[in-house]
Amino acid sequence: MITRKRLTTGVGTALATLAVGLGSALPAAADEPSAAAPKVELVLDVSGSMRTRDIDGQSRMAAAKRAFNDVLDAVPEEVQLGIRTLGADYPGEDRKVGCEDTRQLYPVGPLDRTEAKTAVATLAPTGWTPIGPALLGAADDLEGGGATRRIVLITDGEDTCGPLDPCEVAREIAARGTHLVVDTLGLVPNAKIRQQLTCIAEATGGTYTAVQHADELSGRVKQLVDRAAEPAVAPVATEGADSCTAAPKLAPGLYTDRQEIGEHRWYRVDVLPGQELRVSASVAADRAVDDDYGVLLRAVTVHGREIVRGSEAGAGRTDVISSGLRYPEPPAEDGDDGRGKPAAETVCLQLAHSFSAPASVKRTPGLPVELTVDLVDGPDAASDAAAFGLGRGWWPLGVLVLTGLVAGLLTGWISRLRVTVRRTH
């Protein structure tokens, strides 16, 4: 008798054989150049100050190791990843030697997660903070290939190896024209550290993030590694208006703008019936601002009726705050634009934020804004019917009420039956 398992195995083998045969019969697709793999190098500060225990009750080094383990587990298969250290080997006082203390811990290439984790586990806080030399070494490690290349620097302090200014090093890297981006993460909310790391990031088109919790560190590094695997998208500069009628019309894409404190910006998007509009907006605090902040993103009709909104708020130091919204335009039942095509609805997008700052802080140029607009096919009728939620109409509420009524009657009947049985006995 042929069992289901043996039948499945036989069919799978036959399909595999057929695929091999078809592959050999196809034109020489293998001759086509394969896409270059994106490259990322994580550069970790292992200087003596990483012993400090101020991240969720553990040392900065322990938090960094935990973050690295989380990141290594989640690296996309297509990303080639390497690890470089600074200040990991020389514990002495000789400045010249200490400022050359940077090495590649794990080579950039296909990732062996076990090997990489073992290498990270051996690290212990040791020496100086040669950020400049480490950046130069990382840039050399990532040379070659035309795909995305990204350095992610994690440190808790300023460079201690001047006069080689790491900001000048970043500008030198950018001047090579190699499209290499440096992102920086600071583990200490210090103004001088922030200034240096921001300068390094901005020189190469990267980002700076202040992190004070282990989960934040893991999440941000994962995000940056994942970003390297995504196709590069060049943002388009736009300028929002002070009203919907004067606002620029945006197609799906990535946009940048500037928004002054206390200012509202308007944009417009045309949404066809059956499409879903997805928008996210981020406002960066690139100067000294007050602790309390928020961002509001609203979608309204051209007549001013609010459709949907997204908002986010917080308190304490932040560098970027983001919010988003989704709006599905129902499929058209009738009507068109006069040319046989469904008529699009113009959706007005309003972006506002509640950043504030002392009077001494410059208001211009405005804070950097990044806006992502996407239009996708909306959920069809079948999936709408399958979705179970109060937002889908009154029938789910009726089902819930009926279910509760039946359950209550059954519970009461069973309870009375039990009482009757007990009295009988």
Side-chain angles (χ1 to χ4, degrees):
M1 180 181 293
I2 300 177
T3 64
R4 181 179 298 180
K5 181 177 180 180
R6 293 175 64 185
L7 177 61
T8 303
T9 303
V11 172
T13 304
L15 289 175
T17 305
L18 179 61
V20 171
L22 288 173
S24 61
L26 290 173
D31 294 337
E32 297 176 3
S34 58
K39 297 180 180 180
V40 179
E41 183 146 85
L42 308 179
V43 179
L44 178 61
D45 180 352
V46 196
S47 60
S49 58
M50 290 289 283
R51 298 189 192 95
T52 306
R53 303 178 65 86
D54 60 356
I55 298 185
D56 300 334
Q58 59 185 327
S59 70
R60 298 169 187 170
M61 191 73 242
K65 285 184 176 181
R66 172 185 155 191
F68 268 51
N69 284 337
D70 291 344
V71 170
L72 292 172
D73 282 336
V75 173
E77 292 296 331
E78 63 270 30
V79 172
Q80 294 190 359
L81 184 132
I83 303 171
R84 174 171 283 273
T85 62
L86 60 99
D89 299 314
Y90 178 68
E93 300 297 324
D94 189 320
R95 181 188 184 87
K96 182 178 179 181
V97 177
C99 289
E100 295 175 351
D101 183 11
T102 176
R103 64 182 171 93
Q104 193 174 40
L105 183 71
Y106 186 85
V108 178
L111 182 63
D112 182 323
R113 288 173 168 78
T114 301
E115 186 177 338
K117 287 182 179 181
T118 301
V120 171
T122 64
L123 297 175
T126 301
W128 297 64
T129 313
I131 293 177
L135 291 177
L136 288 173
D140 291 340
D141 297 340
L142 294 171
E143 278 192 349
T148 302
R149 288 179 294 162
R150 186 178 293 271
I151 296 171
V152 181
L153 170 66
I154 302 103
T155 180
D156 69 340
E158 287 183 277
D159 182 278
T160 56
C161 293
L164 185 62
D165 183 352
C167 190
E168 291 299 324
V169 169
R171 293 191 182 105
E172 177 188 328
I173 291 172
R176 296 179 185 178
T178 55
H179 305 293
L180 192 157
V181 174
V182 181
D183 297 292
T184 59
L185 289 86
L187 305 183
V188 177
N190 174 284
K192 290 187 68 177
I193 295 172
R194 179 178 184 272
Q195 182 178 9
Q196 185 175 85
L197 296 182
T198 299
C199 182
I200 292 170
E202 289 181 348
T204 60
T207 59
Y208 162 74
T209 307
V211 292
Q212 294 178 264
H213 299 283
D215 290 343
E216 292 175 352
L217 180 59
S218 298
R220 182 57 174 162
V221 178
K222 283 181 187 176
Q223 185 183 54
L224 293 172
V225 173
D226 287 344
R227 186 174 293 178
E230 298 171 355
V233 177
V236 176
T238 189
E239 187 174 346
D242 58 3
S243 68
C244 180
T245 54
K249 187 172 291 186
L250 305 182
L254 178 65
Y255 299 88
T256 58
D257 199 357
R258 289 272 182 173
Q259 184 177 17
E260 293 185 24
I261 292 175
E263 183 182 29
H264 291 187
R265 291 295 232 185
W266 288 88
Y267 312 88
R268 289 185 297 161
V269 181
D270 284 345
V271 185
L272 290 170
Q275 288 185 325
E276 181 174 277
L277 171 64
R278 299 179 182 179
V279 184
S280 64
S282 300
V283 182
D286 64 346
R287 63 204 69 177
V289 296
D290 297 329
D291 284 347
D292 297 317
Y293 50 84
V295 63
L296 171 67
L297 183 62
R298 299 172 64 229
V300 303
T301 68
V302 291
H303 304 295
R305 178 180 62 84
E306 182 173 293
I307 303 171
V308 67
R309 67 166 56 195
S311 62
E312 187 61 51
R317 178 63 214 162
T318 190
D319 295 286
V320 177
I321 181 170
S322 306
S323 184
L325 57 82
R326 298 171 66 171
Y327 167 55
E329 170 71 6
E333 295 182 1
D334 52 23
D336 54 48
D337 62 357
R339 293 173 295 179
K341 296 181 179 180
E345 177 187 5
T346 296
V347 176
C348 303
L349 298 172
Q350 181 191 33
L351 177 63
H353 67 80
S354 61
F355 278 112
S356 60
S360 58
V361 174
K362 292 182 179 180
R363 264 43 180 183
T364 56
L367 301 179
V369 170
E370 186 174 278
L371 197 69
T372 303
V373 178
D374 198 10
L375 289 168
V376 299
D377 291 336
D380 56 27
S383 61
D384 278 351
F388 193 85
L390 294 180
R392 300 291 180 179
W394 287 101
W395 71 266
L397 182 59
V399 171
L400 289 174
V401 171
L402 182 60
T403 302
L405 178 62
V406 172
L409 291 173
L410 286 175
T411 302
W413 181 78
I414 292 172
S415 298
R416 293 180 63 181
L417 181 61
R418 287 178 178 174
V419 171
T420 303
V421 170
R422 287 176 182 173
R423 287 177 178 176
T424 302
H425 292 282

